[in-house]
Amino acid sequence: MTTLQLQTDISQSLEAIGHDSSLLERAARYLKRLARQATSDEATMSKDEFFARIDRALEQESRGEGIVIDSRESLHQYLSNL
């Protein structure tokens, strides 16, 4: 489903329960919980956080602290050591 289709589906579902305030309250609590999970996901980061991580990696690389993978063999060796 596309985002637009999902938004339409959610809107239609909310309209269907719109007459029952207790169902709307449950839906609101659930959506808030989903929103918290989405913002607390460690895999997500802001644009500023992303560029800060790149800056830190470049600083580490300039100090010689990075790992250089310049061929398939070095990549294979690195992955084998994990």
Side-chain angles (χ1 to χ4, degrees):
M1 277 190 153
T2 67
T3 302
L4 184 57
Q5 290 169 326
L6 288 169
Q7 289 174 343
T8 301
D9 189 34
I10 291 169
S11 294
Q12 290 172 347
S13 297
L14 287 173
E15 287 177 27
I17 65 170
H19 64 282
D20 188 334
S21 63
S22 65
L23 288 177
L24 283 173
E25 286 175 17
R26 287 175 54 197
R29 283 194 306 269
Y30 182 70
L31 289 171
K32 286 178 185 176
R33 188 172 13 159
L34 286 176
R36 279 193 306 272
Q37 289 175 0
T39 57
S40 66
D41 185 1
E42 293 179 12
T44 60
M45 66 182 81
S46 70
K47 187 176 178 180
D48 291 336
E49 291 170 323
F50 174 77
F51 286 113
R53 288 185 71 173
I54 290 176
D55 290 339
R56 284 194 303 273
L58 290 172
E59 289 171 7
Q60 288 176 331
E61 190 256 344
S62 69
R63 293 190 304 262
E65 297 174 359
I67 297 171
V68 176
I69 299 176
D70 56 2
S71 66
R72 285 181 178 223
E73 292 78 23
S74 61
L75 175 60
H76 180 69
Q77 182 181 8
Y78 175 74
L79 293 174
S80 296
N81 291 329
L82 290 179

